Amino acid sequence: MGRLQVVGAAVADGTGRDPMDVDVTVEDGWITQLGASGADPGERLDAGGLTMTPGLIDAHVHLGLSSPIQPQFSFQISAAEIAADIFATAGAALDAGFTTVRDTGGIDGGVVTTIAKGKVRGPRVLSCGPVQCQIGGHGYYGADWEPTELWSGHHLPGLCALSMMSGNADELRGNVREAFRRGASFLKLCVTGGVVSAHDRLTDTQFTVEEIAVAVQEAAARGTYVTVHAHNNEGIRNAVEAGARCVEHGTDLDEPTATLMATRGVALVPTFAVVERLLHDPAEAGLGESVRDRVLGVRERMTEALAAAKEAGVRIGLGSDLIGPAQDRRGEELTLRAELETPMEALVAATKTNADILGLSDQVGVIAPGMQADLVLWNGNPLEDPKLFADPANAVLVVQAGRVVKDLR
């Protein structure tokens, strides 16, 4: 792989410090030095006028939901087309500047290994495999008439695994063990109803504290953690009491619950981009107009939840939750967050904080010696104009583990 020296860029290192004019030296995939190097620079890359950030991290993706949703769930799309859509979305993530993603449900282990082997373009992927849901809860998308036991027929081993349903704690224990057997690196449980649901409401709670605790126990036995899909406070508090380490969405999070999360060290990953997309055009994701009614008011409440979490001192990551075919503008999540915080806070959430939440803080998330060389060079300064994050064309060069994976210079 050799040595690469990137010179002339304004470097926003992911820690929150102001950008610095500093050269970055990369050797065999790792950052070895910041500042001018007296040694042989090897390949020299002139990045004058560009802004460098760490490779972005999306902590809430659904690569396995890259086809139109309703047709996919009703067996109208072939395995070949589903695979093509998944791999196209993986490549689009790189092109948008995302070098690491956490898949929070929908892919099976074969997708992770295929990308890791370099057979298709894509980011580094951490995956929960199939989502864990209670019978008929969020994560179950079968028809009303369809017997529960037929749902697993929607899985395509090695490619697509939507969710596993449990009726009690023993069934959940068996299902999470199966998820780990199939390559999951963490677990995700649905503990409230959801927006894209047919059988519940956002105010519903799902799984008991005792049931969630079983998944936490199984995750701890493997040195990993549980995150939960949760919109309402009762569901969040159940999960925190059971030992979950992260909450996805958190739409109706209030101040007391946020304080509890902060006290217990539980992180929050808000998801604004999917809300904007579903409000704008549900059909774009392959969903019906009824979804628009379910998402009304979510953006405003999630904004209030973000403020409550910040006030309480919760670690707040960043996730897009995009679903369906239109997942090319993943950086829109940073643009939306920059409207609610500062652009620098959005960048830190998408780099340093997300790396911490994913358990990768010793490898990625900041530009520093000893870290993997995941780098993005932006046309212009997205910290001054955060709309630049939303357009993949502005990520003119993307480096993943020292390899140039996109170059529009």
Side-chain angles (χ1 to χ4, degrees):
M1 194 177 294
R3 184 191 290 258
L4 170 69
Q5 191 170 48
V6 186
V7 301
V11 178
D13 64 5
T15 66
R17 287 194 290 259
D18 289 337
M20 308 168 289
D21 293 323
V22 62
D23 299 345
V24 178
T25 302
V26 175
E27 193 163 0
D28 295 329
W30 298 84
I31 299 168
T32 57
Q33 186 172 342
L34 300 186
S37 174
D40 175 14
E43 181 184 355
R44 181 182 169 94
L45 194 156
D46 185 359
L50 303 178
T51 302
M52 180 190 293
T53 69
L56 302 180
I57 302 170
D58 191 333
H60 194 119
V61 309
H62 292 289
L63 298 181
L65 304 181
S66 296
S67 304
I69 301 300
Q70 288 178 337
Q72 179 178 350
F73 291 168
S74 55
F75 297 108
Q76 296 176 38
I77 302 177
S78 71
E81 187 173 346
I82 291 171
D85 291 341
I86 288 172
F87 295 136
T89 293
L94 272 186
D95 289 338
F98 288 83
T99 52
T100 302
V101 300
R102 183 179 64 159
D103 193 287
T104 49
I107 57 172
D108 215 354
V111 173
V112 178
T113 55
T114 298
I115 295 172
K117 288 177 179 178
K119 294 196 171 186
V120 296
R121 296 178 71 242
R124 183 181 297 103
V125 182
L126 281 68
S127 171
C128 70
V131 174
Q132 305 298 324
C133 67
Q134 73 174 35
I135 290 177
H138 181 66
Y140 173 70
Y141 302 108
D144 292 344
W145 55 264
E146 181 180 84
T148 298
E149 59 269 19
L150 294 184
W151 174 245
S152 60
H154 292 262
H155 290 194
L156 300 171
L159 179 66
C160 181
L162 299 170
S163 60
M164 303 175 79
M165 287 179 293
S166 305
N168 55 53
D170 286 341
E171 290 180 5
L172 180 63
R173 190 182 299 276
N175 282 341
V176 301
R177 287 177 176 177
E178 174 67 10
F180 281 126
R181 183 198 69 76
R182 285 155 56 172
S185 55
F186 67 99
L187 297 175
K188 178 188 170 189
L189 273 63
C190 295
V191 302
T192 75
V195 171
V196 184
S197 286
H199 307 280
D200 57 34
R201 301 161 298 174
L202 290 184
T203 52
D204 292 353
T205 60
Q206 298 171 3
F207 285 130
T208 65
V209 173
E210 293 73 22
E211 288 168 334
I212 301 167
V214 166
V216 170
Q217 182 185 37
E218 291 294 325
R222 289 161 179 81
T224 189
Y225 67 97
V226 171
T227 191
V228 294
H229 157 105
H231 287 282
N232 65 62
N233 287 288
E234 186 175 356
I236 294 170
R237 296 179 81 90
N238 286 343
V240 172
E241 182 179 342
R245 305 304 300 167
C246 188
V247 172
E248 313 295 313
H249 314 302
T251 301
D252 290 311
L253 181 68
D254 61 18
E255 292 179 10
T257 308
T259 299
L260 175 65
M261 287 177 62
T263 301
R264 299 285 182 88
V266 179
L268 173 69
V269 177
T271 53
F272 287 93
V274 67
V275 176
E276 290 295 315
R277 292 290 181 91
L278 293 179
L279 280 170
H280 173 67
D281 185 8
E284 182 182 59
L287 291 165
E289 280 295 317
S290 61
V291 172
R292 200 194 301 267
D293 295 334
R294 295 177 69 95
V295 83
L296 285 175
V298 168
R299 175 177 54 194
E300 292 77 14
R301 291 169 7 234
M302 195 178 287
T303 299
E304 294 171 0
L306 174 64
K310 286 191 70 174
E311 180 67 23
V314 174
R315 277 184 308 156
I316 307 171
L318 177 144
S320 67
D321 194 21
L322 295 176
I323 55 175
Q327 298 194 33
D328 57 318
R329 292 175 63 88
R330 193 168 297 282
E332 185 177 4
E333 187 69 29
L334 281 86
T335 303
L336 294 169
R337 280 284 290 275
E339 295 172 359
L340 304 173
E341 306 177 88
T342 67
M344 182 63 84
E345 286 174 316
L347 175 64
V348 172
T351 53
K352 185 177 186 292
T353 305
N354 268 356
D356 185 48
I357 290 171
L358 272 57
L360 298 176
S361 58
D362 60 339
Q363 300 176 49
V364 296
V366 297
I367 299 172
M371 305 296 284
Q372 284 207 35
D374 284 10
L375 311 169
V376 185
L377 289 167
W378 299 91
N379 183 27
N381 185 351
L383 298 174
E384 294 178 355
D385 181 7
K387 291 181 181 178
L388 296 177
F389 282 126
D391 186 351
N394 294 315
V396 295
L397 188 135
V398 180
V399 177
Q400 182 187 40
R403 296 184 183 275
V404 175
V405 293
K406 178 190 179 184
D407 189 351
L408 295 183
R409 290 175 301 153

